[in-house]
Amino acid sequence: MPNGEGIKITILFEVAGKEALQAVEQIKNKATEAGGKISTAFQKTTQSAKVAGQTVTKTSAEMRHGFTGVMGDLESLGNRFRYLSLVTAATSGAMVLAIKSFTQTSIESQQATLGLSVTARAWGRDVGEANRLVQDLTSTGLMNFQQAAEAVTNLLAKGLDIPTTEKALKALIDRSVFAREAQYDMGEAVLMTTRGIRYNREQLADATLIQGLMSQGTEEATRMFGKNAKALSDVQKAQGMVNVILRESIPYTGGAAAAQDLLAGTLGKLGTSLWRVKEAVGTALQPAIGVLAQIITSFAEKITNLTKRHSDLIG
């Protein structure tokens, strides 16, 4: 029989075994519990990762959409810049061209009138009558204002009076309808003839096909004034040429009146009317041109600067 010490040892082993089993069971339970927690945490992490991934995907899509929208807006803005630049250029250009056309006509009129007035005063002629003659000549539609004004000025500059100048020019207009050099229209032929008379250029004076007008005029003047050619003044020679013009143009009398009823005369009158409108508008615009130019310049500069600052939107 086991003695008392043996029994004690046996009991101790049994107690230790039970406690060991209980400890193992507790470890197992705790391990199971920890595993559950780990599993739960892992599941939560996975879910969070999925949510985060969805959020990133959604955000990325929104960013792409937003970027596309921004680029669309930028492109639209660029188109607006381009459109505004083109409109500004076209509008400013059209306005400048229109103003230039009107004012240029006014300037030409003023220059022609100034030359006529100065010449008339220099020879003691009536400026009002000189201007009346210019208007009378342009009313035929066969000469424009500049041609008529210069033609009158040329003959006045030779010392001829206004009545004599008027007779000579009207005779030349009649003649030019039928007799003129091919490269000239009627008004140009008359003007060239008066330039030849003023500047002693025989070739120009022959524009209305009166051959040797200057030499014939000198011969005519020697008979008129009873002087030899060297003793004749320029005024006397010019008067001699006028006599030749009047004589040589007799066969063509009424030519201007007939031409006025033709298409050329009708269009010429229309052109004269339009020219007078442009001249009047140009004269009326002159006081405002400075202010208008500043407005157009300022507007164009602002658009130009805006375009340069945002050139990346336009190119």
Side-chain angles (χ1 to χ4, degrees), residues 272-287:
T272 298
S273 298
L274 293 176
W275 184 90
R276 287 174 177 168
V277 171
K278 290 178 65 178
E279 190 271 339
V281 172
T283 301
L285 280 174
Q286 287 183 22

Side-chain angles (χ1 to χ4, degrees), residues 11-34:
I11 294 171
L12 288 174
F13 272 108
E14 289 178 355
V15 172
K18 290 180 180 179
E19 289 177 353
L21 291 174
Q22 290 176 354
V24 171
E25 187 68 26
Q26 289 177 357
I27 292 171
K28 180 180 177 181
N29 292 335
K30 289 181 179 181
T32 302
E33 181 181 354

Side-chain angles (χ1 to χ4, degrees), residues 93-308:
M95 290 178 66
V96 170
L97 289 176
I99 293 172
K100 182 178 179 181
S101 176
F102 290 131
T103 55
Q104 184 63 34
T105 300
S106 178
I107 290 171
E108 291 172 354
S109 172
Q110 291 174 356
Q111 291 175 340
T113 302
L114 178 61
L116 177 63
S117 300
V118 170
T119 303
R121 290 194 184 96
W123 287 92
R125 311 305 183 197
D126 186 283
V127 175
E129 279 298 299
N131 283 312
R132 187 273 310 164
L133 175 56
V134 171
Q135 296 297 333
D136 191 22
L137 295 173
T138 58
S139 67
T140 64
L142 306 179
M143 294 186 77
N144 62 41
F145 181 87
Q146 289 88 347
Q147 291 170 344
E150 185 182 344
V152 172
T153 300
N154 288 339
L155 296 189
L156 291 181
K158 294 297 287 188
L160 298 176
D161 59 25
I162 291 178
T164 302
T165 297
E166 182 171 6
K167 289 178 182 178
L169 290 175
K170 288 186 174 180
L172 285 173
I173 292 175
D174 278 342
R175 181 180 180 84
S176 69
V177 174
F178 305 103
R180 64 181 186 274
E181 292 184 349
Q183 68 266 36
Y184 301 126
D185 62 25
M186 289 173 278
E188 289 172 339
V190 173
L191 176 58
M192 292 300 109
T193 299
T194 64
R195 284 181 181 175
I197 294 172
R198 179 176 182 177
Y199 300 113
N200 299 316
R201 300 282 300 278
E202 187 78 71
Q203 185 176 359
L204 293 178
D206 290 343
T208 47
L209 301 182
I210 301 177
Q211 299 300 319
L213 175 59
M214 296 185 66
S215 57
Q216 286 193 63
T218 299
E219 293 177 3
E220 183 73 17
T222 59
R223 289 191 293 269
M224 290 173 61
F225 299 103
K227 298 179 180 180
N228 61 47
K230 293 183 179 181
L232 292 172
S233 67
D234 285 344
V235 177
Q236 290 170 335
K237 291 178 181 179
Q239 290 174 333
M241 283 186 275
V242 169
N243 277 5
V244 174
I245 289 171
L246 295 177
R247 182 174 63 247
E248 293 294 323
S249 298
I250 289 175
Y252 306 102
T253 301
Q260 289 182 57
D261 295 330
L262 300 178
L263 180 60
T266 301
L267 292 177
K269 290 179 181 179
L270 177 60
T272 298
S273 298
L274 293 176
W275 184 90
R276 287 174 177 168
V277 171
K278 290 178 65 178
E279 190 271 339
V281 172
T283 301
L285 280 174
Q286 287 183 22
I289 287 177
V291 176
L292 188 58
Q294 291 179 356
I295 293 173
I296 293 176
T297 301
S298 176
F299 180 65
E301 286 179 351
K302 289 179 181 178
I303 294 301
T304 300
N305 292 335
L306 186 63
T307 300
K308 288 180 178 179

Side-chain angles (χ1 to χ4, degrees), residues 63-77 313:
M63 288 177 64
R64 286 196 302 272
H65 178 74
F67 181 75
T68 302
V70 169
M71 290 304 296
D73 291 340
L74 290 177
E75 183 178 359
S76 177
L77 182 59
L313 302 179

Side-chain angles (χ1 to χ4, degrees), residues 81-99:
F81 270 125
R82 282 191 289 270
Y83 176 75
L84 185 57
S85 300
L86 291 173
V87 169
T88 300
T91 303
S92 300
M95 290 178 66
V96 170
L97 289 176
I99 293 172

